[in-house]
Amino acid sequence: MVSVFAPRAALAAAVIGLCVVAPASAASAAPKGCVIGTWKQTGMSGTVIADDSYTEVHGGAGVKLTIARTSVRYDFNKSAKETTTGEVEGIHWSAWTKYTKLLSFDATVKGSASGSVRLKPKTAEGGAIGRSQVANLGPERSWKLRTTYRGGGQESIAPIKSSFTCKGKSLTLKSGFSFDGRKITVDRFFTRVP
């Protein structure tokens, strides 16, 4: 994986060389909107494309995501591993990443049935931990997600900027950006939690 996904940069490189609130008046309250609420991730699909490499990311089912107009919260405690497979200069490799604990951000959420979610990385809070290992290549590594985001990185499981489409019990978040010569796309799929 690449450095936009934090410590996985080093892994891939190794392969190749929560209040009292007064109720708002009905006139001033914003509509709730489809996207607002709690969701469970059912899966994800991502790619990282560079001149010399191609990487795919899948998995992450079970992540609980709570979206409000000004905040986003992740609960990774019952989530499955992310799996990463790739090819770098003809060398095939694979890795897994497992997230645990909680991560939250101040955020800006615009729209209802469609719109955008933008995390404020410097506000990252929580004890979320990532653990990862490249198959047959050294020991497992771990890191704090709060440190990653506050330091300018991000994780494929929680991109800083996403567009969304929401209908009934389904939510899709799509992210696309470039970093260090690489084109990254991540689609995450969710179902509403009652």
Side-chain angles (χ1 to χ4, degrees):
M1 187 48 68
V2 299
S3 56
V4 292
F5 301 145
R8 276 180 268 164
L11 297 174
V15 173
I16 61 173
L18 169 287
C19 98
V20 177
V21 178
S25 68
S28 63
K32 184 175 182 180
C34 182
V35 70
I36 304 304
T38 301
W39 304 88
K40 181 182 287 188
Q41 186 165 303
T42 57
M44 67 177 291
S45 177
T47 61
V48 182
I49 300 172
D51 289 342
D52 62 350
S53 63
Y54 177 83
T55 304
E56 293 186 354
V57 184
H58 299 281
V63 175
K64 187 181 284 187
L65 171 63
T66 302
I67 301 176
R69 285 295 174 198
T70 60
S71 65
V72 170
R73 179 178 183 265
Y74 289 88
D75 181 344
F76 299 114
N77 284 311
K78 294 182 179 180
S79 64
K81 290 179 178 178
E82 251 184 31
T83 58
T84 305
T85 57
E87 181 178 347
V88 180
E89 296 180 346
I91 300 171
H92 294 272
W93 63 280
S94 64
W96 59 264
T97 303
K98 180 75 172 79
Y99 299 97
T100 55
K101 303 184 180 181
L102 307 178
L103 179 67
S104 62
F105 300 89
D106 290 348
T108 300
V109 178
K110 297 180 178 179
S112 177
S114 64
S116 63
V117 177
R118 181 170 182 146
L119 310 181
K120 299 179 181 180
K122 298 295 185 182
T123 69
E125 292 290 349
I129 299 292
R131 297 183 294 115
S132 188
Q133 186 175 36
V134 175
N136 304 314
L137 193 69
E140 180 181 306
R141 298 184 60 193
S142 66
W143 63 96
K144 296 179 180 180
L145 274 65
R146 179 177 62 193
T147 301
T148 296
Y149 283 88
R150 290 189 172 192
Q154 62 182 304
E155 302 282 331
S156 53
I157 203 77
I160 292 172
K161 299 176 185 177
S162 301
S163 62
F164 70 82
T165 55
C166 181
K167 183 176 182 181
K169 296 182 179 181
S170 298
L171 173 68
T172 300
L173 291 166
K174 293 180 174 285
S175 303
F177 53 98
S178 297
F179 182 86
D180 194 26
R182 295 167 172 85
K183 182 179 180 181
I184 299 99
T185 60
V186 182
D187 295 348
R188 296 175 292 149
F189 310 101
F190 298 82
T191 187
R192 190 181 297 277
V193 176

